[in-house]
mmCIF file of all heavy atoms in Angstrom:
data_model
loop_
_atom_site.group_PDB
_atom_site.id
_atom_site.type_symbol
_atom_site.label_atom_id
_atom_site.label_comp_id
_atom_site.label_asym_id
_atom_site.label_seq_id
_atom_site.Cartn_x
_atom_site.Cartn_y
_atom_site.Cartn_z
ATOM 1 N N THR A 5 6.398 -22.635 -22.679
ATOM 2 C CA THR A 5 7.788 -22.651 -22.251
ATOM 3 C C THR A 5 8.630 -22.711 -23.512
ATOM 4 O O THR A 5 8.547 -23.671 -24.283
ATOM 5 C CB THR A 5 8.090 -23.862 -21.351
ATOM 6 O OG1 THR A 5 7.252 -23.805 -20.187
ATOM 7 C CG2 THR A 5 9.543 -23.846 -20.913
ATOM 8 N N ARG A 48 12.304 -15.230 -11.285
ATOM 9 C CA ARG A 48 11.926 -13.876 -11.679
ATOM 10 C C ARG A 48 13.143 -13.165 -12.262
ATOM 11 O O ARG A 48 14.274 -13.337 -11.760
ATOM 12 C CB ARG A 48 11.398 -13.076 -10.484
ATOM 13 C CG ARG A 48 10.007 -13.507 -10.013
ATOM 14 C CD ARG A 48 9.632 -12.712 -8.767
ATOM 15 N NE ARG A 48 8.296 -13.009 -8.308
ATOM 16 C CZ ARG A 48 7.243 -12.215 -8.462
ATOM 17 N NH1 ARG A 48 7.386 -11.050 -9.096
ATOM 18 N NH2 ARG A 48 6.057 -12.544 -8.002
ATOM 19 N N ARG A 156 11.221 -32.365 -33.663
ATOM 20 C CA ARG A 156 9.809 -32.740 -33.783
ATOM 21 C C ARG A 156 9.087 -32.735 -32.446
ATOM 22 O O ARG A 156 7.860 -32.595 -32.411
ATOM 23 C CB ARG A 156 9.694 -34.138 -34.406
ATOM 24 C CG ARG A 156 9.835 -34.174 -35.925
ATOM 25 C CD ARG A 156 9.330 -35.517 -36.446
ATOM 26 N NE ARG A 156 9.420 -35.651 -37.889
ATOM 27 C CZ ARG A 156 8.525 -35.181 -38.753
ATOM 28 N NH1 ARG A 156 7.492 -34.502 -38.305
ATOM 29 N NH2 ARG A 156 8.681 -35.370 -40.046
#
Side-chain angles (χ1 to χ4, degrees):
T5 300
R48 288 176 177 255
R156 280 195 180 277

